[in-house]
Every structure is written in structure tokens, then in C-alpha cells.
């Protein structure tokens, strides 16, 4: 009973009585400084005063004088309550506290101003002044360690004071350490990411020649086991990161393990603890608090690395695939730490008071909000496994966001209800909210800027390509912007009814303002293999002027017939961006089905564009460029081919190489003619060479001039380019098996014949 009264009063004073504080513990917030003052206070907090009131189960005894109740020896049957008003007006208590602060804090060398400030806080009196409350004569009677009453000004029991002092000092040291290690974790993680970005930029320049070949072959280029990287591991458990990224992830996990495990120190056996019965419960409390704070820090990191507009991507040039890999690992670490935090506190409840204590605590709002937070973090991890992501990514994404929001709400109420805003635990959640908010606001700003600013709304035209398998979308942005090779954009298709759904597509090419053409696929043309071209802007009346509010960009899908007259009377042109899409399932399948209804016509396509995202590979120091693609992966390589040709035309310093080899393997026979029509007409004359193979039925038939049969022999292709040049840039965008084969070939041939190979991978293994 007495201990409960003590802890209740201590809790009330330490957590509830102070004003809202700003910062985090050890960084703007002090818990128990000066510790001598708080130790003096806690040594007196459980004592009964002459104004303490008692209540009993019997109404007949309500209001009886407390001394009479004491003499009746009611013991555990009576509940004592010492109000703040009682404490603030009790002279023995005020004078004993003042003298203890003078004596003990004087020994610690605390200044008079700090002592007076601490006294004002701890005395709970608006009128008591430290200097006035000091007794005229020093007290001579020391309270017993088990004293229950304070009736006169006394000396605080030294053993009790020392126990409180050590307990408070060690607890605050641990809380400071929790925050310091969490901040260090974030700084180290962000710092390593920035260094990784600097390495990427450094390795593609002339300084990359300084990197030892052996280091590149062993650490920088291979996949984790020099095997699968873009291909899922056995059982679809995920993708194996590169060896360098795997090392960084290992160090990150190891750092979290170390920070969760050390340093801890108990006040036992030097003294007894005022709060803990033994060192086991004390250390367990420190560990569970540490994992809780670290979990919050890792949640913030996980959200930072999840965004498309992650500032680290802008600064470093890291791919979103790399950042999402780290996002998943940060999420896993945060979840494990949250589970450990929950398990240890549950264990402490059962250990300290049995099931009764646990079931009493679990009814408290802060407790069950914490349970909700932990459970939903676990659900977020469980339902983000690769098989679920691959089965239906959009459903996964929506449910994942909802689950994480619920988890964050649980974490928020867990700390705010428990501690209000006194100790700054909510700061970690503020960081998480800030990262998420920045991401969403950035995306909204990009969408508005790319589609609604500039006087013209974004418009798009879709068409079914020869063979009826692939779709080509030509987008006319609301304002002119210059795409870069290797970039991608997210496209929204509101006409599908799923206005929130968007998909990333590689930019296959662009037109800076010359007449844009598309293929027309009449039935006779498809049968004869002949492809003609039309001017999109005339045939589909794409406007070069500001659109009215009823622009087709906000209407449903509409198929048009060739217009009887053009909308304008003078020639014009409008910049455009081209996407080539293979329909899979879901949204792209629905679009393909709609286009198939009128395969000979071009179609207005209501569309919103978000982007561009991604960074271009630095090719300025490569003597030869080798592009290796598979299937629809050719789209990303087409942009590099166009960039190469345009740079050669203008003798730009962005390209040093005089040769670009475009090696491509595809399944559909008609795919070759589609890509030929999208290539610059002078590509071959300006140094583009082609190594194409078809793996599908009918490969090698007449009309497939220059197209071989079977799969690409990537090892032979890479080897053929080694030896004659000092720097070879290899760009790959292909299905997992082919991409992994290219990586293994690059690792094996790097340095052969004095050729250094820079590998640039374009993938969406999300």
C-alpha cells in the first residue's frame, strides 16, 4: 500500500505536473537534473503528513482524524492520500526538502540559482521560496529508512537518499543513451547513404579508374552470392541485393543489434533500487525502453526510404529499387524491436504482479494502443511479402498504406496517452509524419506542375501496335520539359475508374517539337506488314493552344475518326514523350481490351503524368556503350539510344563513345518492326550497331533481316567488347534471368584486357 502510494505520487510529480517540454531527453529535455534535488524529493514523497487523509471500506470511519486511524493500526485497510495542497502548505515537509537540497546539492556543487529553481518545481507551492524555507537551525534528527510520518523538520535518511539518487541517475543516463544511439543510428544511416551516392558518381567518372579491379570484382559488382539478383530467390522470399548493398544492410542490422544490447548498468549491488526489486527487472526495463525508442527511429527511416521523392535519391542518384530494399529492412528491424519491447513489458507485468497486473494494465488505453501498434507493424511486414506484391501490387499498396497508418496511430496514442508531451518520444513520430507528408505534397506539386501549369493541359494518344500485343502512348505534357535517358514516369488513367492507381513506365523516347508520328494499323496493313505514319496532332486534333475546361484530357476514352478539317489554320508542333507498354493484368489489361475494340483508330486517352523520376547513367567517360535488353526492357534502352544519337549529332561532351551496341532478345516476331520504327533514322550512320535475336515461334523467317534466333549469348557479347577499350559501359534492362546473366558476365570479365566495366542496371523489382 505504502509503495503504491509512493509510486503514484512519484508518477504524478514526474510525469504529469510539469508543463509540456520541447525536444528529446538529453536534447532539450532533462528528466532529473539536478539529480540531488529529485533524490531529496523522492526520499520524502511517501511520507504521511499531518494533512494526509485516509479512506476505508467503512463509511463510518470516513473523516476520522488520521492520527486516530494510525493509532487504530488499520494498516493495509486504510488508503492514504496526500494532496498537492497538503504538501504545498506543510511546513515540516517544505523545510526538510529545502535543507536536503542545501545539504546534498551543495555537496554536488550545484549553484544556488539552480537549487532555488529546482525547489520551486518540486515543492509544488506557488508561495514557498527556497531561501525563506531553510530552517533557522540545522535539523539533527535523521529519518529512519522505514519512516512513515514526517511531523517535524528532519534530515533525509542517507541510505534512502543514496538509493533514490542512484536510481534516478542511472535511469536518466539510460534514457539519454536511448536517444543518443537512436540519433546516431539515423545519422550513420543517412551518412552511409550519401557516401554510397558519392561512390556511384565517383565510379562513373575518370576517377573510377582508381578503384582496384579486385575490389570491384569481389564487392562492388557482384550480387550477394554472384547468382540471383533480379530473379526472386527460392520460394519467392525476395530478391538478393548486390553484395555492396548486402554489406550495408548487414552493418545496419548489426548496428541495431549492438545498440539494443549495450551499454546497460544496474545500481545493484552498490545499493538497492528505489524502483526495481532486482537487477534483472531493472536491466529488462532499460532494454525494453531502448528497443522502443530505436523502433521509432527505424520507423522514421523506413518511411524516409519508401518515397519516390526521397531527398536522398535526389542527392545521391540511388535508384528507387535500392531505397525500397532498404525500406523493407528498416521496417523489419523496427517491427522486431517493437515486438521485443512488447514482450519484455508483458513479461515484467507477469513477473512483478502475475496475470492480475497484466490484465489490469491491458485495460489502460495507452497499453492497448501499444498492442495495436505492434500488431499492425507485424501485419505490414507479413502482407508485404514478395508473392503478395507480385500477385496484385495495387491491392498490396493500398492495404499496406492503411495498415501502416493504423500502426502509426497506435504508436502515437501509446506514447501521448502515457507521457503526454513531456519526454519527446513523439518527436520520432513527427519525423515519420514529416517524411510521409513531404512525399505526398511533393507528388501533388509535381502532378500539378506537370499537368496544369503552362496554359495547356496534358493530353495523350494511345494506339495498338502491329500484331495487337503492344500499346504505344504518346503524351503531350502541359509544358515543355526535356526527359533524360533511363528516366521513368508514373501514369494515372482516370478513365478506368481507378483514379488513384498509377504505374511506372520507362520513357522510350521524346520529341522536342518536331512533327510526331504514330503507326496506323489498318487490317490490310497488318496483314501485309506495311506500316504507314500519320501526324497525331492533325489527325487527333492535339491542341497547341490553351485548352478549355472541357478538354479531352479529363473526358472518358474516346475513339476518333479522321477530322474533316483541322482545328487550326497554321502549322505547329508540340513536344511529346513516348511510352511503349506490354499489357499484363489489371489496369494495362483493361486499356488493351478497350484499344482492341477499335484497333485501326487512335484514341484520346485521359491521362495524368507524374515525373520524371530516376537518374541517367553517366556515360561521358565510356569508350563504348553496350546496351543489353530483353523483351519490353528495350524501352529504357531506346532512350539511351536516342540520347547517344542526339549527342553524336551535336558533338556533345556528354558522350565520348563512338559506338553503341544495342543487343536485344525478344519473343514476339512483330516486335522488331515496332522498335525499328521508333529508332532514329540515322542511328546506324552515327555509330549504333544491332545484335537482335528472336526466341518466339517463327523466328528467322523472311523479313527478319539482321535478327538471329535463340537467346543472347551475353558472355560472348560482353567479352567481344572487352580488350579494345579502356572503359566499357554496360546498360541492362531485362527480365531477371537475363539481367543476372549480364551481371555475372560483367563480374567475370571486368579488368580483362585492361577494360574496366561500369554496370548500370534499370529495374523495377519492387
Amino acid at each position: 500500500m505504502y509503495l503504491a502510494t509512493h509510486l503514484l505520487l512519484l508518477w504524478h510529480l514526474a510525469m504529469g505536473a510539469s508543463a509540456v517540454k520541447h525536444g528529446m531527453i538529453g536534447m532539450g529535455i532533462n528528466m532529473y537534473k539536478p539529480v540531488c534535488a529529485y533524490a531529496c524529493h523522492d526520499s520524502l514523497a511517501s511520507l504521511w503528513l499531518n494533512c494526509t487523509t485516509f479512506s476505508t471500506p467503512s463509511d463510518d470511519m470516513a473523516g476520522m482524524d488520521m492520527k486516530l486511524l494510525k493509532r487504530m493500526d488499520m494498516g493495509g485497510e486504510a488508503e492514504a492520500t496526500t494532496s498537492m495542497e497538503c504538501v504545498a502548505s506543510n511546513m515540516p515537509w517544505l523545510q526538510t526538502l529545502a535543507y536536503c537540497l542545501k545539504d546534498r546539492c551543495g555537496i554536488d556543487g550545484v549553484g544556488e540559482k539552480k537549487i532555488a529553481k529546482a525547489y520551486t518545481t518540486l515543492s509544488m507551492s506557488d508561495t514557498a521560496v527556497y531561501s525563506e524555507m531553510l530552517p533557522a537551525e540545522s535539523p539533527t534528527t535523521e529519518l529512519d529508512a522505514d519512516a512513515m510520518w514526517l511531523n517535524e523538520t528532519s534530515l533525509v535518511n542517507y541510505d534512502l537518499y543514496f538509493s533514490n539518487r542512484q536510481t534516478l541517475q542511472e535511469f536518466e543516463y539510460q534514457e539519454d543513451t536511448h536517444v543518443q544511439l537512436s540519433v546516431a543510428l539515423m545519422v550513420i544511416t543517412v551518412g552511409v547513404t550519401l557516401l554510397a551516392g558519392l561512390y556511384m558518381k565517383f565510379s562513373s567518372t575518370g576517377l573510377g579508374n582508381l578503384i582496384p579491379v579486385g575490389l570491384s570484382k569481389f564487392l562492388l559488382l557482384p550480387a550477394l552470392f554472384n547468382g540471383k539478383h533480379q530473379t526472386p530467390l527460392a520460394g519467392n522470399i525476395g530478391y538478393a541485393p548486390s553484395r555492396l548493398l548486402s554489406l550495408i544492410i548487414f552493418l545496419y542490422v548489426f548496428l541495431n543489434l549492438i545498440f539494443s544490447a549495450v551499454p546497460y548498468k544496474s545500481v545493484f549491488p552498490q545499493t538497492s533500487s528505489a524502483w526495481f526489486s532486482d537487477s534483472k527487472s531493472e536491466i529488462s526495463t532499460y532494454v525494453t525502453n531502448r528497443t522502443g525508442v530505436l523502433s521509432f527511429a527505424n520507423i522514421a527511416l523506413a518511411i524516409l526510404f519508401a518515397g519516390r521523392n526521397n531527398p536522398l535519391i535526389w542527392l545521391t542518384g540511388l535508384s528507387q529499387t535500392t531505397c525500397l530494399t532498404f525500406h523493407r529492412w528498416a521496417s523489419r528491424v523496427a517491427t522486431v524491436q517493437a515486438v521485443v519491447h512488447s514482450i519484455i513489458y508483458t513479461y515484467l507485468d507477469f513477473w512483478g504482479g502475475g496475470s492480475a497486473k497484466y490484465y489490469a494494465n491491458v485495460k489502460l488505453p495507452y497499453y492497448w494502443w501499444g498492442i495495436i501498434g505492434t500488431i499492425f507493424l507485424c501485419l505490414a511486414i507479413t502482407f508485404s511479402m514478395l508473392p503478395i506484391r507480385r500477385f496484385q501490387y495495387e491491392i498490396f499498396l493500398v492495404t499496406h498504406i492503411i495498415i501502416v497508418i493504423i500502426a502509426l496511430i497506435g504508436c502515437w496514442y501509446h506514447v501521448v496517452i502515457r507521457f503526454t508531451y513531456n519526454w519527446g518520444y513523439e518527436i520520432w513520430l513527427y519525423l515519420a509524419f514529416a517524411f510521409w507528408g513531404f512525399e505526398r505534397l511533393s507528388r501533388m506539386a509535381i502532378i500539378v506542375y506537370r499537368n496544369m501549369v503552362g496554359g495547356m493541359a496534358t493530353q495523350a494518344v494511345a494506339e495498338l501496335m502491329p500484331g495487337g500485343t503492344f500499346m504505344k502512348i504518346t503524351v503531350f505534357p502541359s509544358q515543355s520539359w526535356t526527359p533524360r535517358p533511363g528516366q521513368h514516369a508514373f501514369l494515372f488513367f482516370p478513365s478506368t475508374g481507378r483514379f488513384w492507381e498509377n504505374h511506372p513506365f520507362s520513357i522510350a523516347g521524346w520529341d522536342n517539337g518536331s512533327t510526331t508520328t504514330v503507326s496506323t494499323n489498318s487490317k490490310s496493313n497488318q496483314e501485309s506488314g506495311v506500316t504507314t505514319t500519320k501526324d497525331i496532332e492533325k489527325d487527333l486534333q492535339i491542341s497547341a493552344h490553351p485548352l478549355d475546361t472541357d478538354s479531352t484530357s479529363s473526358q472518358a476514352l474516346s475513339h476518333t475518326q479522321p477530322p474533316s478539317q483541322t482545328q487550326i489554320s497554321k502549322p505547329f508542333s508540340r513536344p511529346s514523350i513516348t511510352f511503349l507498354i506490354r499489357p499484363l493484368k489489371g489496369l494495362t489489361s483493361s486499356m488493351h481490351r478497350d484499344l482492341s475494340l477499335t484497333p485501326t483508330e487512335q484514341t484520346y486517352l485521359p491521362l495524368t503524368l507524374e515525373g520524371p523520376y530516376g537518374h541517367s547513367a553517366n556515360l561521358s567517360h565510356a569508350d563504348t556503350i553496350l546496351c543489353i535488353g530483353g523483351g519490353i526492357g528495350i524501352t529504357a534502352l531506346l532512350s539511351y539510344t536516342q540520347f547517344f544519337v542526339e549527342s553524336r549529332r551535336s558533338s556533345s561532351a556528354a558522350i565520348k563513345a563512338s559506338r553503341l551496341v544495342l543487343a536485344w532478345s525478344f519473343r514476339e516476331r512483330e516486335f522488331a518492326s515496332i522498335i525499328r520504327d521508333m529508332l532514329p533514322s540515322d542511328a546506324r550512320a552515327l555509330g549504333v550497331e544491332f545484335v537482335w535475336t528472336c526466341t518466339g515461334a517463327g523466328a528467322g523467317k523472311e523479313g527478319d533481316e539482321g535478327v538471329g534466333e535463340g537467346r543472347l549469348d551475353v558472355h560472348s557479347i560482353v567479352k567481344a567488347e572487352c580488350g579494345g577499350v579502356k572503359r566499357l559501359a554496360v546498360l541492362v534492362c531485362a527480365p531477371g534471368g537475363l539481367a543476372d546473366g549480364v551481371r555475372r558476365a560483367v563480374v567475370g570479365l571486368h579488368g580483362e584486357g585492361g577494360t574496366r566495366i561500369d554496370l548500370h542496371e534499370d529495374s523495377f523489382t519492387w
Side-chain angles (χ1 to χ4, degrees):
M1 181 68 66
Y2 308 144
L3 180 59
T5 304
H6 176 199
L7 292 178
L8 181 62
L9 181 58
L10 177 63
W11 170 259
H12 183 66
L13 293 175
M15 302 297 180
S18 59
V20 174
K21 301 174 183 178
H22 302 283
M24 293 184 285
I25 298 173
M27 297 183 178
I29 295 178
N30 294 320
M31 298 189 78
Y32 311 119
K33 287 186 174 63
V35 68
C36 54
Y38 284 87
C40 285
H41 169 273
D42 290 359
S43 299
L44 300 172
S46 63
L47 296 175
W48 295 351
L49 309 177
N50 59 13
C51 50
T52 300
T53 58
F54 294 82
S55 61
T56 71
S58 172
D59 290 338
D60 294 336
M61 293 190 177
M64 290 180 64
D65 181 81
M66 64 179 179
K67 293 185 179 180
L68 177 59
L69 285 171
K70 176 64 178 173
R71 286 195 296 269
M72 293 174 66
D73 195 26
M74 300 188 65
E77 296 298 324
E79 293 188 2
T81 302
T82 304
S83 67
M84 293 178 62
E85 292 77 11
C86 170
V87 173
S89 61
N90 187 270
M91 193 59 64
W93 196 90
L94 292 172
Q95 289 186 339
T96 301
L97 177 64
Y99 186 80
C100 183
L101 264 63
K102 178 180 183 297
D103 181 29
R104 297 301 171 185
C105 292
I107 294 174
D108 287 354
V110 180
E112 286 291 323
K113 288 185 179 180
K114 288 186 177 180
I115 294 176
K117 183 178 179 180
Y119 183 82
T120 301
T121 301
L122 298 172
S123 66
M124 292 177 290
S125 173
D126 295 330
T127 59
V129 179
Y130 166 69
S131 59
E132 296 175 357
M133 289 298 108
L134 287 172
E137 296 182 1
S138 300
T140 57
T141 304
E142 181 177 325
L143 293 167
D144 293 334
D146 58 351
M148 299 172 57
W149 288 91
L150 179 63
N151 294 319
E152 61 180 355
T153 304
S154 307
L155 293 172
V156 169
N157 181 270
Y158 176 77
D159 292 337
L160 183 58
Y161 166 83
F162 186 72
S163 175
N164 276 300
R165 176 189 171 86
Q166 295 302 103
T167 301
L168 293 169
Q169 185 170 278
E170 185 60 33
F171 189 86
E172 181 167 14
Y173 169 77
Q174 292 297 334
E175 289 293 320
D176 286 350
T177 304
H178 303 337
V179 172
Q180 291 166 4
L181 292 179
S182 298
V183 171
L185 177 68
M186 295 196 73
V187 171
I188 291 171
T189 301
V190 172
V192 170
T193 303
L194 293 174
L195 288 175
L198 288 176
Y199 155 72
M200 288 182 59
K201 295 179 179 180
F202 168 83
S203 62
S204 297
T205 67
L207 296 176
N209 294 325
L210 301 176
I211 300 175
V213 171
L215 180 64
S216 296
K217 291 174 71 73
F218 176 76
L219 178 63
L220 305 180
L221 290 174
L224 179 57
F225 304 110
N226 202 24
K228 293 182 177 181
H229 178 58
Q230 301 293 344
T231 306
L233 297 171
N236 274 341
I237 62 173
Y239 297 97
S242 68
R243 197 167 289 178
L244 177 60
L245 181 57
S246 298
L247 176 62
I248 293 173
I249 291 173
F250 171 79
L251 293 175
Y252 165 76
V253 174
F254 182 73
L255 196 63
N256 271 278
L257 180 62
I258 295 299
F259 284 179
S260 298
V262 294
Y264 299 113
K265 186 180 69 173
S266 172
V267 300
F268 296 94
Q270 184 181 11
T271 184
S272 60
S273 172
W275 295 357
F276 306 105
S277 58
D278 52 41
S279 61
K280 187 177 181 180
S281 60
E282 181 186 8
I283 297 298
S284 296
T285 301
Y286 297 155
V287 173
T288 192
N289 289 349
R290 175 77 56 79
T291 54
V293 177
L294 284 172
S295 178
F296 274 16
N298 282 305
I299 287 173
L301 280 174
I303 292 177
L304 171 64
F305 279 91
R308 300 173 188 174
N309 292 288
N310 173 2
L312 296 176
I313 293 180
W314 301 346
L315 294 172
T316 64
L318 292 174
S319 68
Q320 190 176 358
T321 299
T322 298
C323 287
L324 285 175
T325 300
F326 197 88
H327 156 75
R328 286 190 282 271
W329 278 99
S331 302
R332 291 162 187 160
V333 170
T335 301
V336 170
Q337 289 168 334
V339 169
V340 171
H341 174 81
S342 301
I343 289 175
I344 295 179
Y345 260 126
T346 302
Y347 171 72
L348 287 172
D349 280 348
F350 277 97
W351 188 18
S355 59
K357 182 177 180 181
Y358 172 76
Y359 289 117
N361 280 338
V362 82
K363 296 176 183 178
L364 300 174
Y366 89 89
Y367 207 97
W368 49 259
W369 273 116
I371 293 174
I372 289 173
T374 301
I375 289 174
F376 274 83
L377 284 175
C378 294
L379 290 176
I381 296 300
T382 302
F383 289 104
S384 62
M385 293 186 295
L386 182 59
I388 296 176
R389 301 202 309 271
R390 298 185 74 182
F391 173 70
Q392 186 55 264
Y393 186 81
E394 288 300 324
I395 293 178
F396 149 75
L397 189 60
V398 173
T399 56
H400 187 67
I401 291 173
I402 293 173
I403 290 172
V404 172
I405 288 175
I406 296 173
L408 290 175
I409 291 173
C411 293
W412 172 263
Y413 282 113
H414 177 60
V415 295
V416 170
I417 294 175
R418 182 75 165 91
F419 305 110
T420 62
Y421 302 92
N422 284 314
W423 305 126
Y425 298 119
E426 72 281 357
I427 297 297
W428 300 108
L429 297 176
Y430 286 152
L431 282 174
F433 300 154
F435 292 149
W436 201 336
F438 176 81
E439 159 69 11
R440 293 294 161 174
L441 290 175
S442 297
R443 288 182 57 185
M444 290 175 59
I446 290 172
I447 289 173
V448 170
Y449 182 73
R450 291 299 184 200
N451 299 275
M452 304 176 191
V453 176
M456 294 182 289
T458 296
Q459 296 177 283
V461 173
E463 58 179 318
L464 204 60
M465 303 304 288
T469 300
F470 299 94
M471 301 179 293
K472 179 181 175 183
I473 297 179
T474 305
V475 179
F476 299 84
S478 65
Q479 58 177 281
S480 176
W481 52 279
T482 304
R484 301 286 297 171
Q487 290 186 320
H488 62 276
F490 289 82
L491 303 183
F492 295 76
F493 303 96
S495 62
T496 64
R498 292 175 284 188
F499 60 89
W500 66 89
E501 197 168 316
N502 58 94
H503 293 266
F505 297 102
S506 295
I507 296 175
W510 55 87
D511 189 315
N512 292 323
S514 59
T515 301
T516 306
T517 61
V518 294
S519 303
T520 59
N521 311 315
S522 66
K523 184 175 180 181
S524 60
N525 285 343
Q526 291 185 37
E527 291 175 352
S528 63
V530 177
T531 300
T532 61
T533 61
K534 287 189 177 183
D535 190 315
I536 298 178
E537 297 174 5
K538 291 182 179 179
D539 285 353
L540 288 182
Q541 302 179 2
I542 294 297
S543 175
H545 300 288
L547 296 176
D548 296 331
T549 55
D550 61 348
S551 165
T552 55
S553 65
S554 60
Q555 298 174 0
L557 276 168
S558 62
H559 301 282
T560 63
Q561 301 296 331
S564 57
Q565 61 183 9
T566 183
Q567 278 187 312
I568 58 177
S569 59
K570 60 181 180 179
F572 66 94
S573 60
R574 183 172 168 185
S576 63
I577 303 165
T578 303
F579 300 89
L580 189 63
I581 300 172
R582 179 200 295 274
L584 296 175
K585 55 185 178 180
L587 184 145
T588 53
S589 177
S590 299
M591 288 176 51
H592 183 266
R593 186 166 54 250
D594 291 341
L595 291 176
S596 298
L597 297 176
T598 54
T600 62
E601 299 176 2
Q602 294 82 40
T603 303
Y604 283 117
L605 187 65
L607 178 146
T608 301
L609 181 146
E610 179 192 339
Y613 292 104
H615 295 267
S616 300
N618 183 355
L619 305 176
S620 60
H621 291 81
D623 299 307
T624 296
I625 301 170
L626 172 60
C627 298
I628 301 178
I632 197 64
I634 189 65
T635 53
L637 304 180
L638 283 176
S639 65
Y640 279 105
T641 304
Q642 178 173 345
F643 179 70
F644 173 83
V645 171
E646 291 179 352
S647 298
R648 293 277 290 163
R649 287 174 188 161
S650 61
S651 301
S652 171
I655 292 293
K656 173 185 175 182
S658 58
R659 293 176 62 244
L660 183 147
V661 180
L662 182 59
W664 176 44
S665 178
F666 54 93
R667 185 170 63 247
E668 296 83 358
R669 182 168 172 259
E670 68 274 8
F671 206 176
S673 61
I674 296 173
I675 299 303
R676 283 196 186 99
D677 290 341
M678 295 179 68
L679 287 166
S681 58
D682 55 348
R684 193 182 297 274
L686 291 174
V688 179
E689 302 175 14
F690 303 95
V691 180
W692 291 5
T693 65
C694 181
T695 61
K701 287 185 177 179
E702 185 178 352
D704 287 342
E705 183 181 355
V707 178
E709 296 182 56
R711 298 179 181 274
L712 290 173
D713 184 351
V714 292
H715 188 275
S716 298
I717 292 173
V718 176
K719 187 173 183 178
E721 301 302 324
C722 292
V725 294
K726 293 183 178 180
R727 293 287 291 271
L728 171 66
V730 176
L731 297 93
V732 59
C733 186
L738 178 57
D740 292 345
V742 172
R743 180 176 288 271
R744 287 191 295 271
V746 168
V747 172
L749 296 170
H750 181 69
E752 185 170 307
T755 300
R756 290 178 173 270
I757 306 177
D758 298 318
L759 177 63
H760 305 279
E761 221 171 31
D762 195 322
S763 67
F764 296 97
T765 52
W766 297 353

